[in-house]
Amino acid sequence: MKRGLSDACNLFFLTLSNPTRLAILELLRQRDMSVTEITTALDQEQSMISHNLTPLVRCGLVFVEQHWKERIYSLNHETMEPLFQIMSDHFDRYCAKKAGEINCTTTTKKLANI
Amino acid sequence: MKRGLSDACNLFFLTLSNPTRLAILELLRQRDMSVTEITTALDQEQSMISHNLTPLVRCGLVFVEQHWKERIYSLNHETMEPLFQIMSDHFDRYCAKKAGEINCTTTTKKLANI
DNA sequence: TCTTCGTATGAGTGTAACATCATATGAAGA
DNA sequence: TCTTCATATGATGTTACACTCATACGAAGA
């Protein structure tokens, strides 16, 4: 990562650090969806979904296409699948998972390598 | 990414969505450093660096070891290098970079694939 | 053109994260 | 034990983000 991209990274990760947007990404991982479908699936306000879709599109994490009256959102699988994989690997290796709670035990290198 | 890890992902990305912490990660990418070294290199307050190191360690993005009076922080290369790579690829493919500003042009799938 | 559907946008408000300042802790040497 | 160095912690004011509510916009059908 070259210098000067920090702002972009910041925005990228800021976009990802939101429960609603993460839920949208998980949904779109399964299949493309319209705003109404996402709204229904997540049982949230339509305006909230729209507001959260905006930064996802702006960062290129999801794409959007107009189909008749609907706007169909789709995941950027090329970026997101490897990202999901890294997350999964990281949590497996460095964080103890028990019953939904996250508890990183990596305070030292030695502990981390166990 | 299995369900239930959303909170962990949220925390993970929240930790990454901060200019100071991103700068620390870029620094540690080069070599291990003490708090004082990081503070000097980034020309910031020591307490600020300490405050920002805490979440990085908690998420397992950096490790820490005590060496005499100093605490040496090191990057979790195993997680961070592939992450840096994804970011780099993503920006190359989906975002127009010009002179430090970020400008994603991916409003539709077709545009994105150009 | 009037209505309905699907979606986006804007204003207002509460909350959470951040930087800062001050202080505490802990280890090592004098 | 007193001082100094290295780092961590706590409290506080401000900023920025996210949710909600209301409304606007655009497309398609009647």
Side-chain angles (χ1 to χ4, degrees):
Chain A
M1 188 171 50
K2 298 143 210 151
R3 194 74 195 90
L5 282 182
S6 284
D7 285 352
C9 286
N10 199 348
L11 185 63
F12 185 93
F13 291 125
L14 188 65
T15 299
L16 286 166
S17 63
N18 174 284
T20 303
R21 289 193 287 272
L22 284 173
I24 291 174
L25 291 172
E26 285 198 64
L27 259 186
L28 294 181
R29 204 179 176 196
Q30 301 161 27
R31 63 176 179 87
D32 302 354
M33 282 189 175
S34 70
V35 177
T36 300
E37 283 176 311
I38 299 171
T39 299
T40 303
L42 297 182
D43 192 26
Q44 300 288 338
E45 295 246 340
Q46 177 270 321
S47 66
M48 181 184 170
I49 300 301
S50 258
H51 276 302
N52 279 294
L53 281 168
T54 302
L56 288 173
V57 171
R58 183 162 32 112
C59 284
L61 298 175
V62 308
F63 307 120
V64 57
E65 277 185 324
Q66 190 86 27
H67 278 180
W68 301 96
K69 297 206 288 188
E70 298 181 338
R71 309 194 77 195
I72 305 298
Y73 286 85
S74 60
L75 190 68
N76 179 345
H77 290 278
E78 193 174 16
T79 292
M80 290 310 298
E81 288 303 335
L83 191 54
F84 283 137
Q85 189 60 52
I86 288 181
M87 301 300 298
S88 182
D89 290 348
H90 178 77
F91 291 135
D92 284 349
R93 288 177 196 158
Y94 299 105
C95 302
K97 291 174 300 186
K98 16 178 185 170
E101 70 173 329
I102 187 73
N103 181 21
C104 284
T105 55
T106 54
T107 50
T108 73
K109 218 174 215 172
K110 278 172 187 167
L111 262 177
N113 286 338
I114 288 176
Chain B
M1 188 171 52
K2 301 143 208 149
R3 196 72 194 91
L5 282 182
S6 283
D7 285 352
C9 286
N10 200 349
L11 184 63
F12 186 93
F13 290 126
L14 188 64
T15 299
L16 286 167
S17 63
N18 176 283
T20 304
R21 290 193 285 273
L22 284 173
I24 292 174
L25 292 172
E26 284 197 63
L27 261 185
L28 295 180
R29 203 181 178 194
Q30 300 160 28
R31 65 176 180 85
D32 300 357
M33 283 189 174
S34 70
V35 176
T36 300
E37 285 176 309
I38 299 171
T39 299
T40 303
L42 297 183
D43 191 29
Q44 299 287 340
E45 296 244 340
Q46 176 271 320
S47 65
M48 183 185 171
I49 300 301
S50 256
H51 276 302
N52 279 294
L53 280 167
T54 302
L56 287 173
V57 171
R58 184 161 32 113
C59 284
L61 298 176
V62 307
F63 307 119
V64 56
E65 277 186 324
Q66 191 86 27
H67 278 180
W68 301 97
K69 296 206 292 188
E70 299 180 335
R71 309 194 76 194
I72 306 298
Y73 286 85
S74 60
L75 189 69
N76 178 347
H77 290 277
E78 193 173 17
T79 291
M80 290 309 297
E81 288 304 334
L83 191 52
F84 283 136
Q85 189 60 51
I86 288 181
M87 301 300 296
S88 182
D89 290 348
H90 179 76
F91 291 135
D92 284 348
R93 286 178 197 159
Y94 299 104
C95 301
K97 291 174 299 185
K98 19 177 183 174
E101 70 172 332
I102 187 74
N103 181 21
C104 283
T105 56
T106 54
T107 50
T108 72
K109 219 174 212 172
K110 276 173 189 166
L111 262 176
N113 286 337
I114 290 178

